[in-house]
Each structure stands twice: as C-alpha cells, then as structure tokens.
Amino acid sequence: MLQKMCNSDPWGPTSRRVTEHGVTPAPPGTTEMRCYLTHFVLGGFLLITFYLMGQSNFLVTQPLVNVLARTWPLSKSEGSSESWVDGGNYLPLNVSYQLLAGALPIKQKFLTIGMASVKRKKGSYLLPTLESIFSQSSSEERAAMVVVVLLAEFDPEWRGAMVDEIRAAHPSELDEGQLLVIHVPPQFYPPLTALKRNYDDAPERVSFRSKQNVDYAFLMHYSSSRGAYYLQLEDDVSSAHSFLTTIHRSIQERRSVDWAMLEFSSLGYIGKLYKAAHVPLLARFLFLFYQEMPCDWLLTHFRELLVQREQILIKPSLFQHMGSFSSFKGNANNLKDKFFEKDVYSNPPADVYTDIAVFKDHVPRLAWEGGEGYFWGRTPERGSYLMVVLRAPAVVTSVKVETGLEGKDILQFAVVELGQNVETTVRGEKSCKDFKPLGKMNDGMFEKKDLELEFGSSSSCLRLRVTGKQKDWIAIMKIRITVKTEAQLHTSLGYGR
C-alpha cells in the first residue's frame, strides 16, 4: 500500500508538474523525499494504531483521533499559563465502577480523601479510620470534603458485610454525599500473576503490591473530579484534630510555590496531597508501571517528573499509622510517624523571643512550631520570659503548654498571660503594653479552653513569665493555641454540600 501511494506522487511519474506557467520540472530528489516522508508518517500512524489496539482491553472505545488529541496535545494555548498537564483530559482508563453506598455530591468539594481497603487476615481498621476522619472534623469541615472508599476485595461476602457495617456507622455521611463506597470488578484489572520480579520479591509479594498500584489508579481515576485537591490515605490511620483546616492553611501559604505533592505524613502512601488536575495523570502513571515497583516508590518518581525535586513534608504530621498487622499476609507492622500530633492546633504565624540562655540550637520558636523540636534553656531567673507575638491579632480560644524532658527540666513556677497593644522594647524585640493572666503552670503543664468567653477581644501576645526560683534548666516542648477562624475558613473554601 505504501509503495502504491509513492507511485502516485503528485509531481507525476515523469517528475514534471503542469502549472499555468507551463511545465515545471520537479526539484531534484522530490519524488524520493516525498516517498520517504509518506513512509515515515504512515508508518508512525500505524505503529500508534497497533499500540492502541494492543491496549484495547484497558482503553475506552472512542475514535482514534480523540485518543491521540487527549494523549499528546501539540502545545498549550498561546497566552495561557497552564501546561497540558494542568489542562487534564488524559488518556482515560477503561474501568466500570459500582457505587455500593453513598449519594453523589451535587457540588465539587474542597478535598477528596481516597483509600482502598481489602480483607485482612487479622481484623479490619477501616471503620476506626473513618470514625477518626469524621470525628476529628467540624461540621463545616465535613461539608467541605468527600471520602471515597474503594473496597478492592473480590470476595463478595466480605464486601457485603463491610457495606452493612459502614451504613450502620455513617448513615448521615452517606446521605449527605460526604462518604462514597465503590468497587471495581476483577475483569477490569490487568494480569496480577506471573509478573516481573524486579527486586527479587516473592511472586505473591509482587502480585500484592502490583494490585495495590492498580487499586490506587482506579481509586484516583474515580476521585479526580470530586474535589479541588486529592488526599491519599490508607485504611489503617488515625487523624489529627481539624486536619482539613491545617491542609487548607498549608495550601494558602504555598500559593506562590509550584508544588506537585505536599506530604502530611512521613510514612508510605499516607497523607499525600495532590492538585485535582494532576490526579488523572497520576492514575495513568500508577497503572502503566503497576508491576515495576511499590506505590510509595512510584510516587517519588511522579513528583520528580512534575519537576518538584525536593520533598515538602509538613510538620507536625496529620495522620498516624495505627495498624499493627499488614494487609499483606497479616505480617506485623508497627510503623509510627514520629512527627504526628493528634491535637494539631495550627498555630498562627508569630515571632518568638526569650531572655533565657538558649542551649545549642534548641531555639524558642521550636516550642511554637510543629514537629519534634523544642526549646531548651539554661536555668532561668525570676522574671525571665518566653514571649510569642502574633503577626496578626486574633481572638484566642484555647492555650496549651507542655514542659519537661523525660521527667526533667520542668518549668515549675510560671504564669501564662495574654497581651494587647504591641510595642518595641529596648532590646529591639516586640512585646505588648498590657497583659492579663490566664493562670499558673501546674507541674509543668497548662491548659485552658473557651478563652473567648472571658477575653472576647483580639490579643497579640502570649507570655510565659517565670515567677519563682528554678533549680534546673527548662524544656518547653509545646505551646499550642487555637484562634477563632473556623467561620472564616468555611467562607473562604466556598464548597457546599
């Protein structure tokens, strides 16, 4: 066929062309060049066609032109700041989903949370995980999210039992479009046995992790359009208090950063956040390379392909692994995230000062920031202080202070105070003119809630002031506050039920 088309060259077999100006000889080599180009273009087209036909088990049937246009757009629109990645419309997966429980949300949510669950040999953690997600969220936060659970087990009896348990535990979340339970039948999966053993893993281990990659690919593909952001969890985690508020704040703080993945846990494939526009591409990526390596290795490659070279790990972590037994053969798995804090209070931006001598690099701001750091100071005098000055005044609703390191270096005698009217001291630091006491430290601890009922106006300073002689050094492990911002958060999200 190609040879016949070459012989019908538009210049003619005699290498001449008749024009209104007479007979014009063809340029030297024109016939040979056009024949070569014809071979090249049609050969390439046929190769693509044969490839797509070979993938027909996994592709949605549609005209070839549409497939190519979606897969390899030539360029972004002129004047547009979006790349073809941001535009979406990737090569779709040929997969049919069964909605087992839940009502589809009418509007797009702020956050979609996805997790896949299979039958474990030693019990299930799915119900406690769902309970943690919803109980640690306010009504406004729950309205701004949808949790998608893929029951990725092929045993229909187990699936039916799990659906019944989920319906009994979370009827309102199912009815209000905050929880969806789905399943993908086995005929849509690629081969899961006799796979490549790249790392000399046992065949059953390779099959397990390869199926997990496909589970996640299908889960992400389904979830990609349901929220502006997608959060990947596993089915055996506990959540920090108001984690959605912290995620929203972290996104806002990085509006000028071109990130591909934010990590709210240091473990596995837990707490990884993506922009919705990238999720279909990630789903295809996991599907194409499902037998090559585990998902938590693939995610690093995906992040780097989107030109985010460095990990962005947000501390403290918002999700903790709570399972004791793996979903693979029930093996023991006691991994814990050392950066996790269940009561994450999302301290607002502030500057922290002290007149207490600092030991090494245990600077005072570490007591204010999340993570494993803390402030460690040499023996303070009476009147010594640690001062937190908020960068924007706020109505403080609760304060919590923890001191002491392994039972030592406890701050014994101190008062906690709120201050107003910021000023600059002779030391060149910021402070407040007026302070009101909240209460005294008790055995190195302080906690007080519902402060807005007593102090309704905005505050700018929080001060720990030493009131007695301290025999030992002091270690201030955490200073955590909450401020009145929940209504502002709900308004700014703008995502309804």
Side-chain angles (χ1 to χ4, degrees), residues 423-466:
E423 65 177 357
T424 302
T425 68
V426 294
R427 293 165 57 98
E429 301 174 352
K430 292 181 180 180
S431 181
C432 282
K433 294 180 181 179
D434 307 306
F435 284 92
K436 295 180 180 180
L438 300 181
K440 298 179 180 180
M441 299 288 295
N442 182 14
D443 195 24
M445 306 288 288
F446 177 86
E447 184 171 13
K448 194 168 185 179
K449 299 179 180 179
D450 300 322
L451 293 174
E452 71 276 15
L453 302 179
E454 186 177 354
F455 304 93
S457 57
S458 297
S459 300
S460 295
C461 296
L462 177 71
R463 183 170 69 181
L464 306 185
R465 180 168 54 87
V466 180

Short mmCIF file of all heavy atoms in Angstrom, two decimals, residues 423-466:
data_model
loop_
_atom_site.label_atom_id
_atom_site.label_comp_id
_atom_site.label_asym_id
_atom_site.label_seq_id
_atom_site.Cartn_x
_atom_site.Cartn_y
_atom_site.Cartn_z
N GLU A 423 4.24 46.76 71.14
CA GLU A 423 5.26 47.82 71.21
C GLU A 423 6.63 47.19 71.00
O GLU A 423 6.79 45.97 71.02
CB GLU A 423 5.21 48.52 72.56
CG GLU A 423 5.58 47.62 73.73
CD GLU A 423 5.60 48.36 75.06
OE1 GLU A 423 5.38 49.59 75.05
OE2 GLU A 423 5.84 47.71 76.09
N THR A 424 7.64 48.03 70.79
CA THR A 424 9.03 47.59 70.62
C THR A 424 9.80 47.89 71.90
O THR A 424 9.76 49.01 72.41
CB THR A 424 9.69 48.28 69.43
OG1 THR A 424 8.92 48.01 68.25
CG2 THR A 424 11.11 47.77 69.22
N THR A 425 10.52 46.91 72.43
CA THR A 425 11.25 47.07 73.69
C THR A 425 12.64 47.66 73.44
O THR A 425 13.09 47.81 72.30
CB THR A 425 11.39 45.70 74.39
OG1 THR A 425 12.29 44.88 73.61
CG2 THR A 425 10.05 45.00 74.50
N VAL A 426 13.34 47.94 74.55
CA VAL A 426 14.69 48.48 74.45
C VAL A 426 15.66 47.45 73.87
O VAL A 426 16.72 47.80 73.36
CB VAL A 426 15.18 48.94 75.84
CG1 VAL A 426 14.35 50.13 76.33
CG2 VAL A 426 15.12 47.80 76.85
N ARG A 427 15.30 46.18 73.93
CA ARG A 427 16.12 45.11 73.34
C ARG A 427 15.89 44.98 71.84
O ARG A 427 16.50 44.14 71.19
CB ARG A 427 15.81 43.77 74.02
CG ARG A 427 16.25 43.70 75.49
CD ARG A 427 15.59 42.50 76.18
NE ARG A 427 15.88 41.24 75.51
CZ ARG A 427 16.83 40.39 75.89
NH1 ARG A 427 17.57 40.67 76.95
NH2 ARG A 427 17.02 39.25 75.24
N GLY A 428 14.97 45.79 71.30
CA GLY A 428 14.65 45.71 69.89
C GLY A 428 13.68 44.60 69.56
O GLY A 428 13.46 44.27 68.39
N GLU A 429 13.05 44.02 70.58
CA GLU A 429 12.07 42.97 70.38
C GLU A 429 10.66 43.55 70.42
O GLU A 429 10.46 44.68 70.85
CB GLU A 429 12.20 41.90 71.48
CG GLU A 429 13.57 41.24 71.54
CD GLU A 429 13.68 40.30 72.74
OE1 GLU A 429 12.75 40.31 73.57
OE2 GLU A 429 14.69 39.59 72.84
N LYS A 430 9.70 42.74 70.00
CA LYS A 430 8.30 43.14 70.11
C LYS A 430 7.71 42.56 71.39
O LYS A 430 8.08 41.48 71.84
CB LYS A 430 7.51 42.65 68.90
CG LYS A 430 7.89 43.36 67.61
CD LYS A 430 7.05 42.86 66.45
CE LYS A 430 7.42 43.56 65.15
NZ LYS A 430 6.60 43.07 64.00
N SER A 431 6.79 43.31 71.98
CA SER A 431 6.10 42.87 73.18
C SER A 431 4.73 43.53 73.18
O SER A 431 4.31 44.10 72.17
CB SER A 431 6.89 43.25 74.43
OG SER A 431 6.23 42.79 75.59
N CYS A 432 4.02 43.45 74.29
CA CYS A 432 2.73 44.11 74.44
C CYS A 432 2.76 45.02 75.67
O CYS A 432 3.45 44.73 76.65
CB CYS A 432 1.61 43.09 74.57
SG CYS A 432 1.11 42.34 73.00
N LYS A 433 1.97 46.07 75.63
CA LYS A 433 1.91 47.00 76.75
C LYS A 433 1.07 46.45 77.89
O LYS A 433 1.39 46.64 79.08
CB LYS A 433 1.32 48.34 76.30
CG LYS A 433 2.17 49.11 75.31
CD LYS A 433 1.50 50.42 74.93
CE LYS A 433 2.33 51.20 73.91
NZ LYS A 433 1.67 52.47 73.53
N ASP A 434 0.00 45.78 77.56
CA ASP A 434 -0.96 45.35 78.59
C ASP A 434 -1.11 43.83 78.58
O ASP A 434 -1.31 43.22 77.51
CB ASP A 434 -2.33 45.99 78.31
CG ASP A 434 -2.23 47.50 78.17
OD1 ASP A 434 -1.70 48.14 79.10
OD2 ASP A 434 -2.68 48.02 77.13
N PHE A 435 -1.01 43.22 79.77
CA PHE A 435 -1.14 41.77 79.90
C PHE A 435 -2.21 41.42 80.93
O PHE A 435 -2.38 42.13 81.94
CB PHE A 435 0.20 41.15 80.33
CG PHE A 435 1.21 41.06 79.23
CD1 PHE A 435 2.13 42.08 79.04
CD2 PHE A 435 1.24 39.96 78.37
CE1 PHE A 435 3.07 42.00 78.03
CE2 PHE A 435 2.17 39.89 77.36
CZ PHE A 435 3.09 40.91 77.18
N LYS A 436 -2.89 40.29 80.67
CA LYS A 436 -3.87 39.75 81.62
C LYS A 436 -3.51 38.29 81.89
O LYS A 436 -3.26 37.53 80.95
CB LYS A 436 -5.29 39.84 81.05
CG LYS A 436 -5.78 41.25 80.85
CD LYS A 436 -7.20 41.25 80.27
CE LYS A 436 -7.70 42.67 80.07
NZ LYS A 436 -9.09 42.68 79.50
N PRO A 437 -3.48 37.88 83.15
CA PRO A 437 -3.10 36.48 83.47
C PRO A 437 -4.21 35.49 83.10
O PRO A 437 -5.39 35.75 83.31
CB PRO A 437 -2.87 36.52 84.97
CG PRO A 437 -3.74 37.65 85.46
CD PRO A 437 -3.75 38.67 84.37
N LEU A 438 -3.80 34.34 82.57
CA LEU A 438 -4.72 33.24 82.29
C LEU A 438 -4.70 32.21 83.41
O LEU A 438 -5.70 31.53 83.66
CB LEU A 438 -4.36 32.55 80.97
CG LEU A 438 -4.40 33.39 79.70
CD1 LEU A 438 -4.04 32.52 78.49
CD2 LEU A 438 -5.76 34.02 79.51
N GLY A 439 -3.55 32.05 84.04
CA GLY A 439 -3.41 31.07 85.11
C GLY A 439 -1.96 30.66 85.29
O GLY A 439 -1.07 31.10 84.56
N LYS A 440 -1.72 29.81 86.30
CA LYS A 440 -0.37 29.37 86.64
C LYS A 440 -0.07 27.99 86.06
O LYS A 440 -0.97 27.18 85.84
CB LYS A 440 -0.19 29.34 88.16
CG LYS A 440 -0.34 30.69 88.85
CD LYS A 440 -0.18 30.53 90.35
CE LYS A 440 -0.33 31.89 91.06
NZ LYS A 440 -0.18 31.75 92.55
N MET A 441 1.22 27.76 85.83
CA MET A 441 1.66 26.42 85.44
C MET A 441 1.45 25.46 86.60
O MET A 441 1.65 25.81 87.76
CB MET A 441 3.14 26.44 85.05
CG MET A 441 3.50 27.34 83.88
SD MET A 441 2.93 26.73 82.29
CE MET A 441 3.88 25.23 82.12
N ASN A 442 1.03 24.25 86.29
CA ASN A 442 0.80 23.22 87.32
C ASN A 442 1.62 22.00 86.97
O ASN A 442 1.31 21.28 86.01
CB ASN A 442 -0.69 22.89 87.38
CG ASN A 442 -1.00 21.86 88.46
OD1 ASN A 442 -0.17 21.58 89.33
ND2 ASN A 442 -2.19 21.29 88.40
N ASP A 443 2.70 21.78 87.71
CA ASP A 443 3.60 20.65 87.47
C ASP A 443 4.09 20.65 86.02
O ASP A 443 4.13 19.61 85.36
CB ASP A 443 2.90 19.34 87.80
CG ASP A 443 3.88 18.17 87.92
OD1 ASP A 443 5.07 18.43 88.20
OD2 ASP A 443 3.46 17.02 87.71
N GLY A 444 4.43 21.82 85.54
CA GLY A 444 5.00 21.95 84.20
C GLY A 444 3.99 21.96 83.07
O GLY A 444 4.38 21.95 81.89
N MET A 445 2.68 21.97 83.41
CA MET A 445 1.64 21.92 82.38
C MET A 445 0.66 23.08 82.57
O MET A 445 0.45 23.57 83.68
CB MET A 445 0.87 20.59 82.46
CG MET A 445 1.73 19.35 82.39
SD MET A 445 2.42 19.07 80.75
CE MET A 445 0.93 18.56 79.88
N PHE A 446 0.06 23.48 81.43
CA PHE A 446 -1.02 24.47 81.49
C PHE A 446 -1.96 24.23 80.32
O PHE A 446 -1.53 24.02 79.18
CB PHE A 446 -0.47 25.90 81.39
CG PHE A 446 -1.55 26.95 81.39
CD1 PHE A 446 -2.07 27.45 82.57
CD2 PHE A 446 -2.08 27.43 80.19
CE1 PHE A 446 -3.08 28.40 82.58
CE2 PHE A 446 -3.09 28.39 80.18
CZ PHE A 446 -3.59 28.87 81.39
N GLU A 447 -3.27 24.27 80.59
CA GLU A 447 -4.25 24.16 79.51
C GLU A 447 -5.52 24.87 79.94
O GLU A 447 -6.01 24.69 81.05
CB GLU A 447 -4.57 22.70 79.18
CG GLU A 447 -5.52 22.57 77.99
CD GLU A 447 -5.67 21.13 77.52
OE1 GLU A 447 -5.23 20.21 78.26
OE2 GLU A 447 -6.22 20.93 76.42
N LYS A 448 -6.05 25.69 79.05
CA LYS A 448 -7.29 26.41 79.31
C LYS A 448 -8.03 26.61 78.00
O LYS A 448 -7.44 27.00 77.00
CB LYS A 448 -7.00 27.76 79.98
CG LYS A 448 -8.23 28.42 80.58
CD LYS A 448 -7.86 29.60 81.46
CE LYS A 448 -9.10 30.17 82.17
NZ LYS A 448 -8.73 31.31 83.06
N LYS A 449 -9.34 26.32 78.03
CA LYS A 449 -10.17 26.42 76.84
C LYS A 449 -11.25 27.47 77.02
O LYS A 449 -11.42 28.03 78.10
CB LYS A 449 -10.81 25.06 76.53
CG LYS A 449 -9.80 23.95 76.26
CD LYS A 449 -10.50 22.62 75.98
CE LYS A 449 -9.49 21.52 75.71
NZ LYS A 449 -10.16 20.21 75.45
N ASP A 450 -12.00 27.73 75.95
CA ASP A 450 -13.12 28.69 75.94
C ASP A 450 -12.69 30.07 76.42
O ASP A 450 -13.44 30.77 77.13
CB ASP A 450 -14.27 28.16 76.81
CG ASP A 450 -14.80 26.82 76.31
OD1 ASP A 450 -14.87 26.64 75.08
OD2 ASP A 450 -15.15 25.97 77.15
N LEU A 451 -11.50 30.47 76.02
CA LEU A 451 -10.99 31.77 76.46
C LEU A 451 -11.76 32.93 75.86
O LEU A 451 -11.77 34.04 76.42
CB LEU A 451 -9.51 31.89 76.09
CG LEU A 451 -8.55 30.95 76.83
CD1 LEU A 451 -7.14 31.07 76.28
CD2 LEU A 451 -8.56 31.25 78.32
N GLU A 452 -12.43 32.70 74.72
CA GLU A 452 -13.16 33.80 74.09
C GLU A 452 -14.32 34.26 74.96
O GLU A 452 -14.81 35.40 74.80
CB GLU A 452 -13.65 33.38 72.71
CG GLU A 452 -14.79 32.36 72.69
CD GLU A 452 -14.30 30.93 72.81
OE1 GLU A 452 -13.14 30.71 73.19
OE2 GLU A 452 -15.11 30.01 72.53
N LEU A 453 -14.78 33.40 75.88
CA LEU A 453 -15.86 33.79 76.77
C LEU A 453 -15.38 34.79 77.83
O LEU A 453 -16.16 35.60 78.33
CB LEU A 453 -16.45 32.55 77.46
CG LEU A 453 -17.00 31.46 76.53
CD1 LEU A 453 -17.52 30.28 77.34
CD2 LEU A 453 -18.07 32.02 75.61
N GLU A 454 -14.09 34.71 78.15
CA GLU A 454 -13.50 35.59 79.15
C GLU A 454 -12.75 36.75 78.53
O GLU A 454 -12.75 37.86 79.05
CB GLU A 454 -12.57 34.78 80.06
CG GLU A 454 -12.01 35.55 81.23
CD GLU A 454 -11.15 34.67 82.14
OE1 GLU A 454 -11.10 33.44 81.90
OE2 GLU A 454 -10.54 35.21 83.08
N PHE A 455 -12.09 36.47 77.39
CA PHE A 455 -11.31 37.50 76.68
C PHE A 455 -11.85 37.58 75.25
O PHE A 455 -11.32 36.94 74.35
CB PHE A 455 -9.82 37.15 76.67
CG PHE A 455 -9.24 36.92 78.04
CD1 PHE A 455 -9.19 35.66 78.59
CD2 PHE A 455 -8.77 38.00 78.78
CE1 PHE A 455 -8.66 35.45 79.84
CE2 PHE A 455 -8.23 37.79 80.04
CZ PHE A 455 -8.19 36.52 80.59
N GLY A 456 -12.91 38.33 75.05
CA GLY A 456 -13.58 38.37 73.75
C GLY A 456 -12.85 39.15 72.69
O GLY A 456 -13.04 38.90 71.49
N SER A 457 -12.00 40.09 73.07
CA SER A 457 -11.31 40.92 72.09
C SER A 457 -10.02 40.25 71.62
O SER A 457 -9.53 39.30 72.24
CB SER A 457 -11.00 42.30 72.69
OG SER A 457 -10.21 42.15 73.88
N SER A 458 -9.46 40.75 70.53
CA SER A 458 -8.25 40.16 69.95
C SER A 458 -7.04 40.38 70.83
O SER A 458 -6.92 41.41 71.52
CB SER A 458 -8.00 40.77 68.57
OG SER A 458 -9.05 40.45 67.68
N SER A 459 -6.13 39.42 70.80
CA SER A 459 -4.87 39.51 71.52
C SER A 459 -3.71 39.44 70.54
O SER A 459 -3.85 38.91 69.43
CB SER A 459 -4.74 38.37 72.55
OG SER A 459 -5.78 38.42 73.50
N SER A 460 -2.56 39.94 70.96
CA SER A 460 -1.38 39.94 70.10
C SER A 460 -0.20 39.21 70.72
O SER A 460 0.74 38.86 70.01
CB SER A 460 -0.96 41.38 69.77
OG SER A 460 -1.94 42.04 69.01
N CYS A 461 -0.23 38.98 72.04
CA CYS A 461 0.92 38.37 72.71
C CYS A 461 0.48 37.23 73.63
O CYS A 461 -0.61 37.26 74.21
CB CYS A 461 1.67 39.41 73.55
SG CYS A 461 2.42 40.76 72.61
N LEU A 462 1.35 36.24 73.75
CA LEU A 462 1.23 35.18 74.74
C LEU A 462 2.57 35.10 75.46
O LEU A 462 3.60 34.92 74.82
CB LEU A 462 0.89 33.85 74.08
CG LEU A 462 0.82 32.65 75.02
CD1 LEU A 462 -0.42 32.74 75.92
CD2 LEU A 462 0.81 31.34 74.26
N ARG A 463 2.56 35.23 76.79
CA ARG A 463 3.82 35.28 77.54
C ARG A 463 3.83 34.23 78.65
O ARG A 463 2.85 34.07 79.38
CB ARG A 463 4.02 36.66 78.14
CG ARG A 463 5.36 36.82 78.87
CD ARG A 463 5.61 38.27 79.24
NE ARG A 463 4.72 38.77 80.28
CZ ARG A 463 4.74 40.02 80.76
NH1 ARG A 463 5.62 40.89 80.24
NH2 ARG A 463 3.89 40.40 81.69
N LEU A 464 4.96 33.51 78.75
CA LEU A 464 5.24 32.66 79.89
C LEU A 464 6.24 33.42 80.75
O LEU A 464 7.37 33.67 80.32
CB LEU A 464 5.84 31.31 79.47
CG LEU A 464 5.07 30.47 78.44
CD1 LEU A 464 5.76 29.13 78.24
CD2 LEU A 464 3.63 30.26 78.86
N ARG A 465 5.84 33.78 81.96
CA ARG A 465 6.70 34.59 82.83
C ARG A 465 7.05 33.79 84.09
O ARG A 465 6.17 33.31 84.81
CB ARG A 465 6.00 35.89 83.21
CG ARG A 465 6.82 36.81 84.11
CD ARG A 465 6.19 38.20 84.19
NE ARG A 465 4.80 38.13 84.60
CZ ARG A 465 4.38 38.10 85.87
NH1 ARG A 465 5.28 38.10 86.87
NH2 ARG A 465 3.09 38.06 86.15
N VAL A 466 8.35 33.61 84.35
CA VAL A 466 8.84 32.83 85.49
C VAL A 466 8.58 33.63 86.77
O VAL A 466 8.95 34.80 86.88
CB VAL A 466 10.33 32.51 85.34
CG1 VAL A 466 10.83 31.70 86.55
CG2 VAL A 466 10.59 31.74 84.05
#
